Amino acid sequence: MVKKVAILGSSGGNLYFLGGKDPDRLLDELLLQTEAAGMVCTSLQFIAAKASMDSAKDDTPAELYSWNEDMAKPLVIAQGTLAEVNEAAVLLDADIAAKITNGDIDALIFMSADPAGTNRKAVEAAAIKKIPATGTGGTSMAAVSAKGVNVISTSGTTGTTNRTRAVTFLTSLSKHFGLSYKPVIGKPDTSGQKDQLNSRPYQRINIRGMMLSSLPGFIAMALILALSKIPVFTGLGDVFDLMINALPVILAVVAAKQVADLDNVSIVAGVIAGVLSVKGGIIGGIIGGILAGLLVHYIFRKCVEWRFPATTVNIAAGGIAGLISGLAVFFVISPIALQLGEGIRSLLDFLVSYNSTIAGLIAGLLIWPAIIGGVYHAAILPIVLLEMERTGNSFLGAVDMAGLVMVSAGITLANIVSPRDKGEAAVAVPGFAINMGFGTFVEAAYPFMFSNKLIFAGAIISSGLGGLLVGFFDVRGTAYVPSFMAPLLSNNMTGFIIAMAGSLLCSFFITLTLNKLSGNNKSKESLKNQQNELAG
């Protein structure tokens, strides 16, 4: 038989600041984990006030959530002042108590409940039926237990999140009923599958995703570097040095959250691990964050199985996981990670110093096939970030801007000026604007490149020219910033402007020429068809 669960409580005092002020998200997470445990929610009484219950008054606005059986979802059934909503909640409490008495509810989940008020009858019925209950809210759960309810686990609210509370509740109930429970992350996808917290978390490790998510931190560092070159802002040089040390922390936090995805718990673990991984550079930060995420997952699950209070679970998972992984990187992995990063940078520096012009040309010719083939984000972007970690800009970053962004901008601009048909101009305008304004969205050129092999070839040629110019002027720069700002973030502003302008104009004129030739061919063909029709 499927176990039926009732959820009782309120947005609470401390809980209000830890998820209670957004009841929809709080309940969604709880219902998601309930479903994952193979149970169903059949009753709900949740009072959501517009202020913490510690300071709420009778005239504080509030809503009452109940369970709609037909729609199988929570719905607001009463709105008004807290006093009015409490009156409606007392009536709902009687209905839930009757269900408990009739054996229609198998377990209770309490969150900042009121066992002496709006939940009194349900608590009394639960004490008589001896059904299992779990929940958070130190004072309220103590009162629930004192009334004779079979409380199988309890905890305070401090340090918890919507997800950690829900997982703790359902783990306790599943263990009590002897059910198999695999916590899930997020909503089911289109195939109906869910990402399970306890099924091989290492499968969620995605280096490319970590790099992309951390990119804003690298761009912020590049902006600080550019500003520090202005006489009035020379003091920002110390800020730049500080931000370099912050990069491993950023990557560690992103990695830990990606692997564990336990909200603030994984974030805290990532911060601790990242701070201790600074000496290992960004590679050390990534390793520390991954280890922290794996340990958060393991420690969290074990603590819940051992029925630790939810607050203690969060403290242990976040703090201990961060310390263990961070210390491992600090004492063992940092030197290796630092040498690996230096080795990659040294190899690139050697290739560029051997003949920077040829190196730029080759990089420019290969960068379009690399991004189309999925190699760019997996291999080139990490190298760009490794370069930026040391100097704030990058040789391959400059090739990215000149060879990808500017070439895409040139192709889209040509299709604005002289499109093959009117519809293509409408497609090209936003692409050109985003490339120039944000230094990204090179995919805007794909429709034109894929529809004409000569335009595709022109893109590669133009990119090769841009890379060649980057190498010739020995430019270090970055993409992902507005085009007018990119030269300011480089080591050679004039050289970067020439390289960017060269690749943009080259792709523009190649595409423009091909579009005009295509238009002329269409006109000749149309004229020929008209002549044939007249002759017929």
Side-chain angles (χ1 to χ4, degrees):
M1 294 289 292
V2 176
K3 299 300 180 182
K4 301 173 182 178
V5 178
I7 301 170
L8 309 175
S10 71
S11 52
N14 192 26
L15 176 62
Y16 181 79
F17 302 103
L18 298 171
K21 66 168 61 178
D22 190 350
D24 291 317
R25 292 184 63 181
L26 182 151
L27 294 173
D28 280 348
E29 184 66 44
L30 188 49
L31 292 170
L32 180 67
Q33 302 303 332
T34 301
E35 179 187 351
M39 305 181 197
V40 294
C41 175
T42 57
S43 299
L44 170 65
Q45 183 224 55
F46 190 85
I47 301 168
K50 299 302 182 182
S52 168
M53 291 296 185
D54 292 336
S55 59
K57 299 178 181 179
D58 285 346
D59 59 353
T60 298
E63 297 175 332
L64 176 62
Y65 284 77
S66 181
W67 186 255
N68 185 292
E69 294 185 3
D70 294 332
M71 301 176 67
K73 62 184 290 187
L75 286 180
V76 174
I77 63 168
Q79 291 178 305
T81 65
L82 182 57
E84 293 169 342
V85 166
N86 281 340
E87 291 178 5
V90 169
L91 298 177
L92 185 56
D93 177 46
D95 292 338
I96 294 175
K99 287 185 177 182
I100 295 172
T101 301
N102 293 334
D104 294 329
I105 293 174
D106 301 306
L108 294 174
I109 294 175
F110 292 104
M111 290 179 291
S112 298
D114 183 8
T118 53
N119 301 116
R120 181 177 61 84
K121 292 182 179 179
V123 169
E124 291 173 352
I128 295 171
K129 294 292 289 186
K130 298 298 179 182
I131 63 174
T134 182
T136 56
T139 303
S140 65
M141 288 307 296
V144 168
S145 181
K147 288 182 177 292
V149 176
N150 179 23
V151 177
I152 60 174
S153 69
T154 183
S155 171
T157 306
T158 302
T160 63
T161 67
N162 289 342
R163 178 159 295 158
T164 57
R165 281 192 302 274
V167 171
T168 301
F169 296 155
L170 272 303
T171 299
S172 297
L173 292 177
S174 297
K175 193 171 183 178
H176 177 83
F177 290 124
L179 301 174
S180 175
Y181 165 51
K182 295 180 179 181
V184 297
I185 299 174
K187 296 290 185 181
D189 62 22
T190 53
S191 63
Q193 300 298 313
K194 300 183 183 73
D195 188 5
Q196 295 174 345
L197 282 173
N198 63 346
S199 60
R200 297 181 294 277
Y202 63 84
Q203 291 182 339
R204 293 194 295 274
I205 297 172
N206 185 326
I207 303 298
R208 181 176 71 175
M210 295 172 194
M211 291 289 190
L212 285 171
S213 298
S214 304
L215 187 58
F218 288 83
I219 298 302
M221 181 185 67
L223 292 172
I224 290 296
L225 176 63
L227 288 172
S228 67
K229 295 178 181 179
I230 302 173
V232 71
F233 296 123
T234 52
L236 290 176
D238 294 335
V239 176
F240 174 74
D241 295 335
L242 183 62
M243 290 197 68
I244 287 180
N245 290 329
L247 295 178
V249 181
I250 293 172
L251 281 155
V253 171
V254 171
K257 179 131 185 352
Q258 180 190 98
V259 174
D261 202 6
L262 281 169
D263 298 326
N264 295 340
V265 179
S266 48
I267 292 174
V268 170
V271 170
I272 297 171
V275 169
L276 293 172
S277 303
V278 167
K279 290 184 178 179
I282 64 174
I283 294 179
I286 291 173
I287 295 173
I290 291 173
L291 292 176
L294 294 172
L295 283 173
V296 163
H297 162 84
Y298 178 78
I299 294 173
F300 182 88
R301 293 291 296 143
K302 284 300 179 184
C303 288
V304 171
E305 289 175 5
W306 295 334
R307 297 192 179 184
F308 284 17
T311 300
T312 305
V313 172
N314 287 4
I315 293 172
I320 294 175
L323 276 175
I324 293 175
S325 55
L327 290 172
V329 175
F330 186 88
F331 287 110
V332 180
I333 301 172
S334 278
I336 301 171
L338 188 61
Q339 287 301 314
L340 179 59
E342 287 295 336
I344 294 172
R345 285 189 290 261
S346 297
L347 177 60
L348 181 62
D349 288 344
F350 170 76
L351 294 174
V352 173
S353 62
Y354 181 76
N355 192 319
S356 61
T357 303
I358 292 180
L361 173 63
I362 293 173
L365 291 173
L366 294 179
I367 199 165
W368 273 107
I371 195 169
I372 292 172
V375 177
Y376 174 86
H377 293 100
I380 296 177
L381 182 60
I383 296 174
V384 169
L385 299 187
L386 279 169
E387 286 189 275
M388 292 184 69
E389 178 189 22
R390 185 173 63 181
T391 61
N393 44 42
S394 160
F395 179 80
L396 288 179
V399 174
D400 182 338
M401 174 58 86
L404 290 178
V405 178
M406 289 296 101
V407 169
S408 178
I411 292 172
T412 50
L413 179 60
N415 281 282
I416 295 172
V417 174
S418 179
R420 287 176 296 183
D421 57 63
K422 294 181 180 179
E424 291 186 340
V427 174
V429 169
F432 175 76
I434 295 173
N435 274 300
M436 296 300 291
F438 298 94
T440 185
F441 194 39
V442 301
E443 297 85 353
Y446 283 0
F448 312 106
M449 294 169 61
F450 295 156
S451 64
N452 190 325
K453 293 180 179 179
L454 293 177
I455 292 179
F456 194 116
I460 294 177
I461 293 170
S462 302
S463 179
L465 173 63
L468 182 148
L469 293 171
V470 165
F472 179 79
F473 291 105
D474 197 23
V475 176
R476 301 293 189 278
T478 182
Y480 301 100
V481 295
S483 58
F484 65 86
M485 185 182 294
L488 300 175
L489 307 183
S490 71
N491 66 328
N492 185 339
M493 185 167 66
T494 302
F496 203 12
I497 291 173
I498 294 172
M500 291 169 62
S503 54
L504 186 150
L505 292 173
C506 183
S507 61
F508 170 78
F509 284 117
I510 289 175
T511 306
L512 186 70
T513 302
L514 292 172
N515 281 359
K516 287 186 176 297
L517 290 174
S518 176
N520 291 336
N521 289 336
K522 286 183 179 179
S523 297
K524 290 179 181 178
E525 185 176 346
S526 176
L527 180 60
K528 185 176 180 180
N529 290 335
Q530 290 177 4
Q531 290 174 343
N532 290 335
E533 289 177 3
L534 291 173

